[in-house]
Amino acid sequence: MALSSRQLTGSNFAYQHLPFATFLDDAADLGREKLELWGIAPHLHVPRLSDADARGIRRSVEARGLTAYCLTPEQVMYPVNVASPVGWLRTESIALFRRAAELCVELGAELLLLTPGRGYENEAPAAAWRRSVDAIGEIAAYAGSLGVECVLEPLQRVESNLVNGSRTLAAMLDEIGADHLGAVLDTVTMAVAGESVDDAFDALGDRVRHVHLIDGRPAGHLAWGDGELPLQDYLAALDRRGYDRWMTFELFGDGRYARDPRTAVEQCHARVGLT
């Protein structure tokens, strides 16, 4: 099956070495309507972005007939960790996401993407789990008060020792218990965990509210065709499970896509049946 173009966002993943305007021009030219914005420097570095800056970005987005949909602050490679046992780091990480929720309002983005962080490898897992639950709950409550929905994304084991698959993600969402907090299905994290789209929906149901649709071997966050994951099986399963929200190509790879991101995006479009 082919993916509806109305379900596919544009994103500045892989555009970090080009001006933000180049990304916007490409997204508009390639027929996108909604954007998932990666919060990195120099494009949208959350700690330095003022309300006025965000409103300026929104004007640039909307001038091209586009709309911001999701803000995804950088939170894996940077020193951002909502489950850290280090007090100042955890406090500052929570503050960053609260600020990101405020920026969602200025950008006109309805979704804020969160990850669970990680604890020390040699501490009791329950302690780090509790810190993550409390932090995500606080952030989601604040975002909800601003009219912003949050989605929580599981991570590969090399990235987090807390939430690495659909069952642990469901357990954390259950414990937090926030209606305005949903789940992200990331096809690479899913494949690394040995899960399928059906496994994810069996565990999470209609709480799946965003999808990162990327290829891998099984890891890698690759453009479709550069890995070995079963794209058509994934699309068929998403269709069978009634998923009708937005999806994003999260193109990191090994850094080479950043030299020519549009070609990688066009490759993905071709593989999912868009021209």
Side-chain angles (χ1 to χ4, degrees):
M1 62 168 287
L3 176 66
S4 167
S5 64
R6 297 186 65 84
Q7 285 184 262
L8 185 64
T9 73
S11 181
N12 58 319
F13 293 115
Y15 276 83
Q16 65 265 38
H17 301 315
L18 289 167
F20 188 65
T22 300
F23 153 64
L24 293 179
D25 290 341
D26 281 357
D29 191 48
L30 291 169
R32 304 283 56 81
E33 299 175 13
K34 300 276 191 176
L35 303 178
E36 178 173 348
L37 299 177
W38 185 27
I40 54 157
H43 293 177
L44 298 96
H45 186 48
V46 172
R48 296 295 301 271
L49 201 65
S50 69
D51 288 355
D53 292 334
R55 288 193 291 270
I57 290 171
R58 181 173 182 171
R59 287 192 294 271
S60 295
V61 167
E62 293 178 350
R64 293 166 172 83
L66 303 166
T67 305
Y69 171 67
C70 178
L71 175 60
T72 301
E74 177 50 57
Q75 53 198 286
V76 178
M77 299 303 294
Y78 286 14
V80 178
N81 183 1
V82 297
S84 175
V86 179
W88 67 264
L89 178 54
R90 181 172 175 273
T91 297
E92 291 188 6
S93 297
I94 293 170
L96 179 141
F97 286 106
R98 288 172 63 98
R99 176 61 184 149
E102 296 168 353
L103 291 171
C104 282
V105 176
E106 302 299 338
L107 291 164
E110 61 190 78
L111 212 61
L112 174 62
L113 191 144
L114 311 175
T115 56
R118 68 185 306 153
Y120 283 144
E121 291 293 330
N122 62 350
E123 71 171 326
W129 178 273
R130 171 50 49 197
R131 292 193 298 268
S132 182
V133 165
D134 289 347
I136 297 295
E138 177 183 339
I139 295 162
Y142 182 65
S145 74
L146 301 176
V148 175
E149 182 180 18
C150 292
V151 285
L152 183 61
E153 182 177 42
L155 298 174
Q156 298 173 56
R157 181 59 181 83
V158 296
E159 299 166 326
S160 173
N161 55 4
L162 296 175
V163 179
N164 307 126
S166 60
R167 289 182 294 277
T168 49
L169 177 55
M172 183 167 282
L173 294 179
D174 287 344
E175 192 164 338
I176 294 169
D179 291 338
H180 47 272
L181 176 63
V184 180
L185 189 161
D186 180 291
T187 54
V188 161
T189 300
M190 181 184 75
V192 169
E195 295 183 341
S196 67
V197 170
D198 284 318
D199 291 333
F201 276 86
D202 287 346
L204 295 160
D206 62 4
R207 291 183 292 186
V208 178
R209 297 174 189 169
H210 191 48
V211 169
H212 281 165
L213 187 71
I214 50 261
D215 206 349
R217 297 195 195 98
H221 287 78
L222 304 176
W224 285 105
D226 289 349
E228 58 188 25
L229 300 184
L231 169 64
Q232 292 305 320
D233 290 349
Y234 291 167
L235 293 177
L238 288 164
D239 186 57
R240 186 176 66 252
R241 301 303 292 244
Y243 183 76
D244 61 359
R245 294 181 62 137
W246 293 88
M247 310 186 201
T248 297
F249 299 129
E250 190 184 24
L251 299 174
F252 289 126
D254 59 5
R256 59 193 160 101
Y257 298 141
R259 297 197 299 268
D260 183 15
R262 177 164 175 153
T263 295
V265 173
E266 289 176 334
Q267 178 177 321
C268 290
H269 284 191
R271 291 286 176 147
V272 302
L274 299 181
T275 57

